[in-house]
Amino acid sequence: MSASSNNSQPLTISIVGAGIGGLTAAVALRRNGHNVQIFEAVEIKTEIGAAVAVQNNSLKVHDHIGVVRKNLHGVPWDGAVMIGSNGSEPVTYKWQVPGMKANGLLVHRSDLYEELKRLATGIEGQRPPAKLRLGTKVVACDPETATITSEDGEVVQADVLIGADGIHSVVRDHVLQQVVHSQDSGLSCFRLIFETTKMRDIPELEWLYDGVVGTRSVVSTEGPLRMLYIYPCRDGTLMNVVAFYSDTSDATAGWSGHATVDEFKTVFHDFHPKFFHLLDLPLHSPIHKWKLRVLPLLPTWVRGRTALLGDAAHATLPHLGQGAGMAVEDGGALGCLLPAGTRAEDVPARLKAYEELRKERGEFIRAESVDQMEKGFDLYKNKELQMKLLAYDPILAAQQFYQERFGGVN
């Protein structure tokens, strides 16, 4: 028996993982009047990784669930500039989607996280706030009954269980009834974030701010394929740098860790000297090094009363900047498919519908992201790809799917 036996009662929903995807789902489901608990393993939840692109497709979800854009302190993504590592003349690209001047916002992850947490757990409004359970590590679950077991032995049953617990998902192992390991991509990256206060005082950094507001991609012209991917965030006061490179080191070595400026210089030693003037800017936070991994395609995302979301379902590489965006789309879709008035007995069919709606798109983005390096990062040149990614309205698609499948308006 599910946790809600009375059909008129709101659903009880357990979400494992308090990242961007889990919080988006929590906001969407709270808005529907459901009783939501979010279980997060760490005691103090912080978002590392510096910055994230909130592109137009995910921005539509944020607008729908009430995100206040000014709270994101975002920088409009008006276009992109590509430069060869030898310092060649930059090439500027504007977006090709009709009527779209900017592709959403470039934001600091912690600003997005705090806004989503506010919307999920704040006391504003008449809907019950989600309960955020920090320091509660889920070690097992029963997907058929939406029951979780924490490390300290607590057992919680709900009507719905959502596994938003990332690439190393515990929930996924139980949904699939087997352990599926992520795969080494052969790539790593350094992540750096600089303060921009003195940027315009350094003539050698003119390439960084001259021209279109948006991203700068510095791609290797010789040697192994490497790339510096750079963009501003937090109202332009910070500059985010993701430095991709081939990495054949032991794939079982540390998932992530700190790195040094000297390590960064060694990997990109043959890039034009002007790019190293980035290092003249003050570092805002320590340099991180990440081993990039992807998930294989999964046979299913759902079992019984349980569904996977975000990286737990379709973790991929960041080359399209859509990893967080797909998690946001997933969360928004669940909100549309589990509206107020959803009965507990309806849940398995609704989650099957969620998989039918979301799985093909999630897997497409996963595959395209993996292939971007081989394709020469063609997002900026490829109108068809831009249309598929950015013109898509996840909320409208989910609402129409709901109406066609279940009738009524959600």
Side-chain angles (χ1 to χ4, degrees):
M1 182 180 294
S2 68
S4 295
S5 57
N6 188 327
N7 288 350
S8 65
Q9 295 297 311
L11 297 175
T12 56
I13 299 176
S14 294
I15 300 175
V16 182
I20 289 172
L23 286 178
T24 300
V27 176
L29 294 163
R30 174 203 174 171
R31 284 165 53 89
N32 295 343
H34 301 310
N35 296 308
V36 179
Q37 290 196 83
I38 313 163
F39 300 87
E40 171 57 49
V42 301
E43 292 279 358
I44 301 175
K45 178 65 176 174
T46 57
E47 281 291 307
I48 63 173
V52 62
V54 180
Q55 299 187 59
N56 270 11
N57 52 306
S58 52
L59 198 59
K60 291 166 186 168
V61 178
H62 290 317
D63 289 343
H64 177 74
I65 64 174
V67 167
V68 178
R69 291 193 185 189
K70 71 176 183 179
N71 291 347
L72 302 182
H73 304 287
V75 175
W77 190 359
D78 292 342
V81 177
M82 298 195 75
I83 314 171
S85 64
N86 58 4
S88 59
E89 282 297 309
V91 179
T92 299
Y93 296 93
K94 291 295 193 76
W95 302 108
Q96 300 180 54
V97 177
M100 190 183 84
K101 178 181 182 295
N103 178 20
L105 300 169
L106 303 167
V107 308
H108 197 286
R109 292 184 76 96
S110 65
D111 294 333
L112 175 58
Y113 175 80
E114 290 300 325
E115 175 65 359
L116 291 172
K117 185 172 74 170
R118 180 187 72 82
L119 292 169
T121 63
I123 61 173
E124 302 92 344
Q126 298 180 350
R127 305 299 169 87
K131 185 176 181 180
L132 179 57
R133 301 275 305 274
L134 295 174
T136 305
K137 183 178 181 180
V138 172
V139 295
C141 71
D142 180 348
E144 298 291 348
T145 61
T147 302
I148 60 170
T149 303
S150 70
E151 192 173 41
D152 63 6
E154 181 184 10
V155 176
V156 178
Q157 185 178 10
D159 298 313
V160 184
L161 172 59
I162 298 171
D165 48 342
I167 196 169
H168 299 300
S169 171
V170 170
V171 177
R172 181 178 65 237
D173 295 344
H174 291 81
V175 167
L176 299 179
Q177 299 183 317
Q178 62 176 319
V179 177
V180 174
H181 295 289
S182 60
Q183 301 168 342
D184 178 23
S185 69
L187 296 171
S188 289
C189 71
F190 299 107
R191 303 203 71 144
L192 312 88
I193 190 159
F194 297 98
E195 297 173 4
T196 63
T197 309
K198 299 180 179 179
M199 178 176 67
R200 293 177 184 266
D201 296 333
I202 303 173
E204 293 86 354
L205 288 180
E206 184 179 6
W207 60 272
L208 194 54
Y209 56 81
D210 186 44
V212 68
V213 176
T215 55
R216 302 290 185 271
S217 300
V218 183
V219 183
S220 56
T221 52
E222 295 181 355
L225 185 58
R226 290 153 294 160
M227 182 176 73
L228 304 178
Y229 192 64
I230 308 165
Y231 57 88
C233 61
R234 192 166 286 169
D235 297 322
T237 63
L238 299 176
M239 191 67 67
N240 180 66
V241 180
V242 189
F244 299 100
Y245 63 98
S246 298
D247 185 0
T248 58
S249 64
D250 183 3
T252 63
W255 174 248
S256 66
H258 288 169
T260 66
V261 168
D262 286 341
E263 288 179 83
F264 172 81
K265 286 181 174 180
T266 298
V267 172
F268 294 91
H269 65 94
D270 54 347
F271 277 39
H272 193 279
K274 71 179 181 181
F275 301 122
F276 289 96
H277 283 280
L278 274 169
L279 302 174
D280 295 339
L281 298 174
L283 274 169
H284 179 71
S285 55
I287 302 173
H288 289 275
K289 180 168 66 173
W290 296 75
K291 189 79 173 172
L292 299 177
R293 307 180 69 86
V294 298
L295 272 185
L297 298 181
L298 304 182
T300 185
W301 292 4
V302 304
R303 180 177 295 276
R305 296 181 171 276
T306 301
L308 302 175
L309 174 155
D311 280 356
H314 46 70
T316 188
L317 298 180
H319 296 146
L320 290 176
Q322 285 284 354
M326 289 301 101
V328 167
E329 286 192 13
D330 291 345
L334 283 167
C336 294
L337 295 172
L338 297 170
T342 301
R343 301 171 302 174
E345 55 263 40
D346 295 333
V347 167
R350 299 293 175 84
L351 297 185
K352 282 291 187 184
Y354 160 75
E355 178 180 78
E356 185 176 340
L357 172 66
R358 294 295 308 156
K359 194 168 186 286
E360 181 180 357
R361 179 167 168 83
E363 291 178 349
F364 171 81
I365 302 297
R366 175 206 170 278
E368 282 293 323
S369 298
V370 170
D371 292 342
Q372 275 299 294
M373 286 192 80
E374 290 186 7
K375 292 182 176 180
F377 306 101
D378 72 338
L379 171 63
Y380 307 121
K381 313 167 193 176
N382 189 332
K383 181 178 180 179
E384 181 181 358
L385 182 58
Q386 289 183 27
M387 291 293 295
K388 191 170 182 68
L389 268 59
L390 309 177
Y392 182 78
D393 187 332
I395 297 300
L396 181 61
Q399 289 173 336
Q400 290 176 341
F401 188 86
Y402 177 90
Q403 187 172 15
E404 293 167 2
R405 179 62 57 87
F406 303 110
V409 179
N410 54 358

